[in-house]
């Protein structure tokens, strides 16, 4: 991707990751009694500190050149409860070339269909409000019901309605873009939103900013906090702020992260926050989606805690949503009068001409003169293919993927071509090969594509608002449980670290709450679990490890037994089984029992540690 397509803040957001948003060396949070805050602020200023956030029960300040131990020593005061590092928090999104044109008609993003959001009607009278903590919202985009949107600014970030790059606008559109015949439609169309702009011009904020924002969300009457952001390091003040929002009946949702590893990012890693992973349109996990372990503690004290790892996923790969005005790039491809899906590669403009097939375009061909080149992917770079087309007199280029799905790509940082070039899906190759004429258009748009757990998070936030609007008597934690209870199992059978309980399903969650009430059904609100109860005990014998499984409630003649997500045996349903684990040494093993052939009628998971 050519980075000059985006602002500097976006470039930072595109490459940020959990490990990349570390604590500032000299910025700290000081917890203090509110009635003694003035004394502590005065002391901090006297010590040369620069104050940043004046929050409920805390302040944030920079002590230039001083480490944590030095600041603790300087603030050895009876009114100071705690001094801790103030960690950076940054937006989590990676970027793909923009594709599609929603300027003249309303398009439904694939994640809406995938999550069943189109099957549930949003109840606008339920009083749902989603608090979006991000980079602000572009006030010029017409795809929002602006009378339903309020906001706050954090210190130094500017007006909440002046965007700090497309990230916040894209997120907000996924949650609540209006159903108004233009642009896109959100998961909960027209839902009330409160926007808090926390990212500065460099594209990041701090954990103190998030703690303060949580309080502002509460004051605004929000039911849900949505955060497509994160960074390294756990922070007591930040954690407490979200725990308090939860305790008041709210729901907090945050992105797992985009490094594709098992690092735990915060705030998603706090137990009070629902961690969200990303899947693609084919129900496959996104390769960038982080997957931290659910294990808490070590050795014999290790336990499974599903609140500190991915709980559910939603569409987060190449998702279409709102952008600040004219900041996205749109591609339109029309062949023989029919629209064909395409993605923008490079070079704005509109051309119409006869189609000429150039194969893989590894050489110039005079037959392309005055025509639109149709080119197969492979062998040489995209840039060289388009360059050969242009050198042959071609006026535009269409490069067709050589594997299933849309071709997303650019012509490189040293692009020397000038003709508009788009990518196309392999599935449309036959249509393109049979066509006579084509019109290729690349221009600016108010709608574009992004990828990341940043995009999956607002999808779940919007689904939560949608479902909750039809069951306003429930608490946030009951909605959280219902979303997990009805998620579509994906990946390994049962709960796993990549998908958690699976892909969110709005209609199924709505039906579940209608049938069972807020407290859930026979499975106690535990996702994917039936009425099977399981206990597991582990022991060593003559140097080998064994696990005795005992269960009740399965109705099939045989059951499937899973260890660490893999089916290790199908055995008689006689309510007991002993698993012998080969190899020496210790380890942690997660067991689950399911009715034969089922991935939904299962026990909860049980863990043994040797």
């Amino acid at each position: 991707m050519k980075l000059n397509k985006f602002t500097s803040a976006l470039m930072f957001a595109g490459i940020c990751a959990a490990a990349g948003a570390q604590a500032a060396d000299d910025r700290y949070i000081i917890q203090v009694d509110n009635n003694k805050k003035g004394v502590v602020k005065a002391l901090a200023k006297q010590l040369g500190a620069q104050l940043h956030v004046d929050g409920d029960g805390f302040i944030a300040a920079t002590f230039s050149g001083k480490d944590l131990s030095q600041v603790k020593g300087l603030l050895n005061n009876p009114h100071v409860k705690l001094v801790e590092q103030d960690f950076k928090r940054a937006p989590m999104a990676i970027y793909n070339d923009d594709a599609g044109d929603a300027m003249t008609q309303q398009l439904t993003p694939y994640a809406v269909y995938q999550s069943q959001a189109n099957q549930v009607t949003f109840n606008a009278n339920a009083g749902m409000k989603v608090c979006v903590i991000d980079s602000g919202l572009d006030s010029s985009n017409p795809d929002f019901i602006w009378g339903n949107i309020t906001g706050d600014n954090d210190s130094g970030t500017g007006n909440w309605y002046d965007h700090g790059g497309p990230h916040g606008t894209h997120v907000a559109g996924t949650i609540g873009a209006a159903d108004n015949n233009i642009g896109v439609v959100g998961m909960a169309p027209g839902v009330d939103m409160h926007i808090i702009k926390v990212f500065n011009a460099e594209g990041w904020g701090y954990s103190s900013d998030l703690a303060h924002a949580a309080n502002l969300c509460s004051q605004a009457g929000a039911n849900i906090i949505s955060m497509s952001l994160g960074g390294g390091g756990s922070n007591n003040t930040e954690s407490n702020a979200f725990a308090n929002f939860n305790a008041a009946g709210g729901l907090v949702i945050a992105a797992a992260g985009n490094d594709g590893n098992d690092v735990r990012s915060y705030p998603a890693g706090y137990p009070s926050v629902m961690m969200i992973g990303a899947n693609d349109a084919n129900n496959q996990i996104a390769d960038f989606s982080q997957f931290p372990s659910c294990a808490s503690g070590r050795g014999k004290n290790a336990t499974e805690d599903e609140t500190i790892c991915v709980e559910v996923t939603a569409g987060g790969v190449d998702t279409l949503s709102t952008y600040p005005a004219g900041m996205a790039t749109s591609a339109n491809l029309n062949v023989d009068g029919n629209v064909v899906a395409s993605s923008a590669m490079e070079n704005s403009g509109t051309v119409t001409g006869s189609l000429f097939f150039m194969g893989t375009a590894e050489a110039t061909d005079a037959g392309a003169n005055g025509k639109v080149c149709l080119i197969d992917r492979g062998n040489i770079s995209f840039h060289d293919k388009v360059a050969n087309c242009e050198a042959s007199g071609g006026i535009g280029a269409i490069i067709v993927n050589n594997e299933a799905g849309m071709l997303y790509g650019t012509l490189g940082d040293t692009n020397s071509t000038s003709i508009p070039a788009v990518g196309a899906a392999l599935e449309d190759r036959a249509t393109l090969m049979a066509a006579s004429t084509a019109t290729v258009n690349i221009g600016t748009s108010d709608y574009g594509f992004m990828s990341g757990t940043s995009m999956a998070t607002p999808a779940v936030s919007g689904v939560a608002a949608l479902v909750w609007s039809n069951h306003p008597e429930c608490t946030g934690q009951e909605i959280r449980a219902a979303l997990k209870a009805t998620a579509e199992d994906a990946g390994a059978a049962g709960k796993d670290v990549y998908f958690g309980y699976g892909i969110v399903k709005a209609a199924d969650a709505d039906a579940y709450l209608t049938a069972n009430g807020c407290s859930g059904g026979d499975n106690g609100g535990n996702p994917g679990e039936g009425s099977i109860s399981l206990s597991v005990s582990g022991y060593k014998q003559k140097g080998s490890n064994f696990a005795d499984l005992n269960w009740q409630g399965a109705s099939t003649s045989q059951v499937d037994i899973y260890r660490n997500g893999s089916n290790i045996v199908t055995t008689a349903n006689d309510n007991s089984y002993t698993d012998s684990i080969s190899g020496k040494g210790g380890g942690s093993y997660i067991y689950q029992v399911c009715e034969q052939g089922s991935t939904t009628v299962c026990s909860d998971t049980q863990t043994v540690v040797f």
Side-chain angles (χ1 to χ4, degrees):
M1 171 177 303
K2 292 183 70 176
L3 295 180
N4 61 11
K5 287 185 177 179
F6 304 98
T7 66
S8 59
L10 287 177
M11 288 188 283
F12 183 91
I15 61 173
C16 80
Q22 298 299 322
D25 292 336
D26 52 8
R27 178 163 160 155
Y28 306 94
I29 301 177
I30 302 103
Q31 289 188 15
V32 60
D33 288 327
N34 280 327
N35 60 355
K36 298 296 183 182
K37 189 187 295 182
V39 174
V40 177
K41 287 168 64 177
L43 175 60
K45 289 180 179 178
Q46 191 176 33
L47 294 169
Q50 179 185 358
L51 300 183
H52 301 291
V53 179
D54 187 344
D56 184 11
F58 70 91
I59 60 174
T62 295
F63 290 79
S64 296
K66 294 180 174 62
D67 62 24
L68 180 60
S69 61
Q70 289 175 312
V71 175
K72 285 182 176 180
L74 291 171
L75 294 179
N76 186 13
N77 184 289
H79 302 313
V80 174
K81 295 180 178 180
L82 175 71
V83 181
E84 59 183 343
Q85 289 181 313
D86 199 359
F87 291 98
K88 286 184 179 180
R89 299 298 184 233
M92 289 181 172
I94 57 176
Y95 296 90
N96 290 282
D97 279 0
D98 305 319
D101 180 11
M103 298 293 284
T104 59
Q105 60 179 320
Q106 181 166 281
L107 304 178
T108 300
Y110 79 83
V112 171
Y113 295 119
Q114 188 177 54
S115 67
Q116 302 175 334
N118 60 310
Q119 300 177 32
V120 180
T121 301
F122 176 66
N123 178 11
N125 297 318
M128 288 294 112
K129 182 180 287 188
V130 182
C131 193
V132 183
I133 303 176
D134 209 284
S135 62
L137 177 61
D138 178 39
S139 60
S140 69
N141 193 295
D143 214 0
F144 294 96
I145 302 177
W146 285 97
N148 294 350
I149 302 176
T150 55
D152 278 305
N153 308 320
D154 200 356
S155 57
T157 61
N159 296 324
W160 63 266
Y161 47 82
D162 293 330
H163 72 83
H167 192 270
T169 301
H170 195 279
V171 163
T174 297
I175 294 170
D179 186 0
N180 59 358
N181 297 319
I182 60 168
V184 295
V185 61
M187 296 291 180
V191 65
D192 288 6
M193 288 187 282
H194 189 76
I195 309 299
I196 301 183
K197 187 177 182 180
V198 296
F199 297 135
N200 58 24
E202 287 73 37
W204 43 263
Y206 286 91
S207 49
S208 60
D209 295 318
L210 299 193
H212 185 47
N215 294 329
L216 294 175
C217 291
S218 295
Q219 294 169 21
N223 310 89
I224 299 167
I225 292 176
S226 184
M227 296 179 290
S228 295
L229 49 83
S234 174
N235 183 287
N236 180 271
T237 304
E238 184 180 52
S239 177
N240 287 343
F242 297 123
N244 291 339
F245 189 89
N246 252 9
L251 175 61
V252 187
I253 299 172
N258 297 327
D259 270 0
N261 58 27
D262 61 359
V263 173
R264 184 170 291 111
S265 176
Y266 295 91
Y270 299 127
S272 62
V273 180
M274 188 176 189
M275 185 187 295
I276 308 302
N279 57 258
D280 65 16
N282 296 314
N283 288 5
Q284 301 298 309
I285 199 69
D287 58 7
F288 54 76
S289 189
Q290 281 173 228
F291 48 94
S293 167
C294 302
S296 176
R298 295 183 177 180
K300 294 182 179 180
N301 295 322
T303 59
E304 287 290 303
D305 184 354
E306 68 179 45
T307 65
I308 62 172
C309 50
V310 173
E311 296 185 39
V312 294
T313 67
V317 179
D318 300 323
T319 63
L320 178 65
S321 189
T322 46
Y323 258 63
M327 209 167 179
T329 304
S330 67
N332 294 286
L333 175 60
N334 189 296
V335 296
D336 289 350
N338 299 309
V339 175
V340 175
S342 61
S343 70
M345 297 186 77
E346 300 286 351
N347 307 328
S348 62
T350 301
V351 296
T352 299
S354 300
L355 274 168
F356 179 78
F357 180 58
M358 282 189 72
T360 53
E362 296 173 56
T364 58
D365 188 328
N369 187 43
K371 299 176 182 177
V372 176
C373 304
L374 180 61
I375 303 170
D376 279 333
R377 180 181 183 179
N379 300 340
I380 63 173
S381 71
F382 299 149
H383 173 272
D384 290 348
K385 291 174 184 291
V386 176
N388 284 336
C389 170
E390 186 169 10
S392 302
I395 60 174
I398 305 165
I399 302 180
V400 184
N401 209 350
N402 57 4
E403 59 186 26
M406 178 62 64
L407 173 63
Y408 294 98
T410 70
L411 303 186
D413 292 336
T414 58
N415 175 32
S416 62
T417 68
S418 62
I419 60 174
V422 298
L426 177 63
E427 291 83 348
D428 290 321
R429 186 177 185 276
T431 298
L432 293 166
M433 291 291 291
S436 300
T437 62
T439 297
V440 177
N441 170 263
I442 297 179
T444 61
S445 176
D446 301 348
Y447 304 88
F449 287 77
M450 289 187 187
S451 292
T453 53
S454 271
M455 286 60 254
T457 297
V460 176
S461 300
V463 166
L466 175 64
V467 173
W468 203 350
S469 77
N470 289 281
H471 304 275
E473 70 279 8
C474 299
T475 67
Q477 294 314 294
E478 288 167 338
I479 297 298
R480 181 179 183 176
L483 294 179
K484 293 190 290 185
T486 55
E488 179 184 359
D489 189 32
K495 182 178 178 293
D496 64 73
V497 294
Y498 299 101
F499 286 93
Y501 285 107
I503 302 170
V504 289
K505 297 290 177 181
D508 291 344
D510 177 56
Y512 173 85
L513 290 169
T514 299
N516 301 303
C518 295
S519 60
D522 293 338
N523 56 7
N526 290 323
E529 298 165 11
S531 56
I532 302 174
S533 60
L534 171 67
S535 62
V536 184
S537 59
Y539 58 94
K540 291 181 179 289
Q541 189 174 49
K542 295 182 179 181
S544 298
N545 298 328
F546 296 89
D548 286 342
L549 286 72
N550 294 278
W551 66 88
Q552 297 286 337
S555 61
T556 51
S557 61
Q558 291 188 304
V559 295
D560 295 327
I561 295 179
Y562 292 87
R563 184 209 304 143
N564 294 342
S566 297
N567 187 347
I568 59 172
V569 68
T570 298
T571 187
N573 182 16
D574 55 9
N575 301 320
S576 66
Y577 178 79
T578 297
D579 182 31
S580 175
I581 303 168
S582 61
K584 297 182 179 180
S588 177
Y589 300 91
I590 303 170
Y591 288 94
Q592 187 175 43
V593 175
C594 298
E595 291 187 349
Q596 185 180 11
S598 175
T599 59
T600 57
V601 183
C602 302
S603 71
D604 57 355
T605 56
Q606 297 292 332
T607 302
V608 295
V609 179
F610 295 101

